[in-house]
Amino acid sequence: MKKYIRAAAAALIAVNIFTAAAPKLYAAPESGSTDTVQQEGAVDGTQEEIDPYQKELENTYKEKVQTNELDGWAEGPGIYGDAGIVMDAETGAVLYGKNIDKKEYPASITKILTALLALEYAEMTDEVQITAESLTCLGSGYASIGMKEGNVITMEQALYAMLLASSNEVAYAVAETVAKGQGEDYQWFLDQMNQKARDLGGSNSNFVNANGVQDEQHYTCAKDMALIACELFEYPEFLQICQTASYTIPASSTTEEHIFQQKHEMLLEGNSEYYNYAVAGKTGYTTEANNTLVTLADNGEMKLVCVTLKTYPGHVYSDTKALLEYGFNNFKKVKISGQNDSEKITSIPDDACVTLPENVKFSDLDSELSRMKNGEEGLLSYTYQDNPVGEAVVKLSGDKAFKDISGEEKIEESKMPVWQLLLICLLIIIVLLAVWLVIAAQRRSRRRRRRRRRNRRGR
């Protein structure tokens, strides 16, 4: 028994030694800097702290940008917002990321999801009626074009009012109309908003209204909003609406004339904030959400989406322009075709790409392949140090190694580091050795007991 205890103790000591010697798989994140910002005194050279608002502003700008911590990644700018992202709409690559999964209030950028569902389910000629319920969302200071109960406009006119003038009552009425067309109610539309966000890959949103009116349970994150915005590149009607500077709903038998303008200043040619590559977007603001902004941009070579959340006044456009310029100037597309030799894949689209900075090579990437529900196609996803850089739908072979479990089983393509393999082998050897020592000790103990019994019988 003593030998058994000694063998087990030796095994435990060996495991502890190798565990302590191995590199750590995960490291705790470092806390952000909280240095006090000071300014020079006007007369005698003494220093005094700047006002709390300015300190908070500067601390927000200095907050960690997670993509800047990737080895060899292009250095991105600081921003005066809680969260921000730049995503390549064609590859899904995250080029810039600051707190992209952090829950934030979206305010009126919610309306781009409402517009996406309207474009998916409705016709531009559908009639949108302003109901008493749609007017209940209006409070002091909330955006409205002054619609009245019983007014009827087309879906096309409604989308202009919702996306340019950010009309809250019209957004509510759009949701009601789309739901009614499906034989459903307003709650159904909200359920579809949340389902659509999940279908596009979002995982940190909860929408409880169609317009972004403040509610503690109505939240999203930069990544989820970027995924939604990327989808809108597929709808020319959305881009056309957003590129309109001014729009008029003419008077009719059911409604009076309404004239309103685009509020996203980066889309207004001649405005000081105008950005020539911006093609669409949506503004948002509430006291709780601060400034929120979604911007779609296209320079002819790349289509980018930029989302900034909880941004301080006076910085939302300059931050967005800096982020888009960073994306256009520091990244390029690299074709996947010819780079992947997996036997599970029979063909990769010629235009399938990843988006990378200059200092990152395709060979540096990890890949993951998952079978899609139709069984014949798979999703090939690439990451660089866990950051998404692109994905493509590929044709799969009839490899029986795949297992269809609701189309969600994944096959890892990335390699395990050598030191991890060695550590696992050593641990297995130690455990087997300990088991062998225990069994051997037990056998010796049984032999000694048998000898003692024989000796007693021979006396």
Side-chain angles (χ1 to χ4, degrees):
M1 189 64 185
K2 289 182 179 180
K3 290 185 177 181
Y4 167 79
I5 295 172
R6 284 199 297 271
L12 288 173
I13 291 170
V15 170
N16 287 334
I17 290 173
F18 281 105
T19 302
K24 297 298 183 183
L25 287 173
Y26 304 101
E30 297 180 359
S31 57
S33 172
T34 55
D35 294 339
T36 301
V37 182
Q38 296 182 325
Q39 62 183 6
E40 293 293 328
V43 179
D44 58 4
T46 60
Q47 292 183 326
E48 59 180 13
E49 290 190 11
I50 61 177
D51 66 86
Y53 177 85
Q54 185 65 24
K55 186 186 344 184
E56 188 176 357
L57 184 68
E58 293 299 325
N59 286 341
T60 298
Y61 185 85
K62 294 177 183 178
E63 282 178 355
K64 184 190 302 182
V65 175
Q66 284 75 31
T67 45
N68 285 350
E69 299 186 332
L70 301 175
D71 296 335
W73 204 257
E75 185 81 6
I79 58 173
Y80 293 98
D82 252 14
I85 190 171
V86 177
M87 182 178 287
D88 186 326
E90 295 172 307
T91 67
V94 176
L95 311 187
Y96 177 96
K98 176 183 177 181
N99 300 330
I100 64 174
D101 294 312
K102 184 179 180 181
K103 291 181 180 179
E104 303 280 5
Y105 297 130
S108 283
I109 61 172
T110 299
K111 296 181 176 82
I112 70 168
L113 179 53
T114 301
L116 178 58
L117 290 175
L119 291 166
E120 182 177 337
Y121 284 101
E123 298 294 332
M124 293 297 99
T125 54
D126 288 351
E127 289 189 345
V128 177
Q129 182 172 348
I130 305 301
T131 63
E133 289 78 10
S134 64
L135 297 173
T136 60
C137 67
L138 297 178
S140 177
Y142 277 68
S144 167
I145 61 169
M147 299 293 282
K148 300 175 183 177
E149 183 179 354
N151 288 166
V152 178
I153 56 178
T154 66
M155 180 61 72
E156 181 181 24
Q157 292 169 338
L159 291 180
Y160 274 96
M162 182 176 72
L163 294 171
L164 269 60
S166 202
S167 172
N168 286 297
E169 75 273 28
V170 172
Y172 193 110
V174 166
E176 285 185 313
T177 301
V178 172
K180 184 178 179 181
Q182 301 298 312
E184 302 288 349
D185 58 10
Y186 180 72
Q187 183 57 50
W188 173 87
F189 188 90
L190 302 182
D191 293 339
Q192 292 305 303
M193 292 176 72
N194 289 297
Q195 185 60 52
K196 189 66 175 179
R198 289 191 293 270
D199 290 346
L200 293 174
S203 58
N204 206 23
S205 295
N206 187 58
F207 298 99
V208 300
N209 60 59
N211 45 32
V213 169
Q214 178 60 30
D215 188 299
E216 288 187 359
Q217 298 305 312
H218 186 88
Y219 56 82
T220 188
C221 66
K223 180 182 177 182
D224 289 9
M225 289 308 303
L227 291 168
I228 293 165
C230 286
E231 190 74 4
L232 285 162
F233 266 112
E234 302 299 319
Y235 292 89
E237 308 97 312
F238 178 82
L239 303 181
Q240 179 182 337
I241 291 171
C242 291
Q243 291 170 27
T244 303
S246 179
Y247 188 80
T248 300
I249 297 177
S252 69
S253 59
T254 64
T255 186
E256 60 276 9
E257 181 183 72
H258 294 276
I259 303 174
F260 39 85
Q261 288 74 40
Q262 169 64 267
K263 291 185 175 183
H264 194 316
E265 296 181 18
M266 296 179 76
L267 297 166
L268 296 173
E269 192 169 356
N271 189 285
S272 61
E273 303 292 354
Y274 176 70
Y275 183 60
N276 59 326
Y277 295 145
V279 294
K282 183 72 189 75
T283 61
Y285 177 81
T286 64
T287 302
E288 296 83 359
N290 217 324
N291 287 281
T292 61
L293 189 69
V294 173
T295 307
L296 286 66
D298 184 353
N299 72 346
E301 297 180 359
M302 297 177 69
K303 294 179 179 178
L304 301 182
V305 164
C306 179
V307 179
T308 56
L309 300 176
K310 202 172 185 181
T311 303
Y312 285 89
H315 298 281
V316 66
Y317 292 120
S318 58
D319 278 358
T320 295
K321 182 178 180 180
L323 291 178
L324 289 171
E325 286 291 284
Y326 160 78
F328 285 133
N329 294 333
N330 291 281
F331 293 85
K332 62 180 180 181
K333 284 184 167 58
V334 179
K335 283 196 171 185
I336 297 174
S337 182
Q339 307 269 14
N340 190 298
D341 58 359
S342 172
E343 295 180 355
K344 298 180 178 70
I345 299 174
T346 59
S347 66
I348 299 174
D350 289 337
D351 60 350
C353 296
V354 293
T355 310
L356 303 174
E358 184 177 350
N359 293 331
V360 175
K361 300 177 182 178
F362 193 93
S363 58
D364 297 327
L365 307 181
D366 293 324
S367 64
E368 183 179 82
L369 181 63
S370 57
R371 185 185 288 277
M372 300 177 73
K373 291 182 179 180
N374 61 17
E376 299 177 354
E377 294 179 321
L379 184 66
L380 179 60
S381 304
Y382 286 91
T383 57
Y384 177 69
Q385 296 179 17
D386 295 329
N387 185 64
V389 294
E391 60 184 24
V393 176
V394 299
K395 295 290 185 181
L396 299 177
S397 66
D399 194 331
K400 300 301 181 181
F402 282 100
K403 294 180 181 179
D404 285 327
I405 304 177
S406 302
E408 295 176 357
E409 176 126 338
K410 296 178 179 178
I411 292 90
E412 293 287 348
E413 297 288 335
S414 56
K415 297 180 180 178
M416 182 179 290
V418 174
W419 70 264
Q420 289 187 30
L421 289 171
L422 292 174
L423 177 60
I424 291 171
C425 291
L426 287 170
L427 292 175
I428 291 172
I429 292 170
I430 291 168
V431 171
L432 291 175
L433 179 60
V435 171
W436 181 82
L437 290 172
V438 169
I439 293 173
Q442 290 175 338
R443 287 176 177 174
R444 287 194 296 270
S445 177
R446 284 197 294 270
R447 284 197 295 269
R448 284 196 298 270
R449 287 197 296 270
R450 284 197 295 270
R451 284 198 297 269
R452 285 197 294 269
R453 284 197 294 270
R454 286 197 296 269
N455 291 336
R456 285 195 295 269
R457 285 196 297 268
R459 288 176 182 172

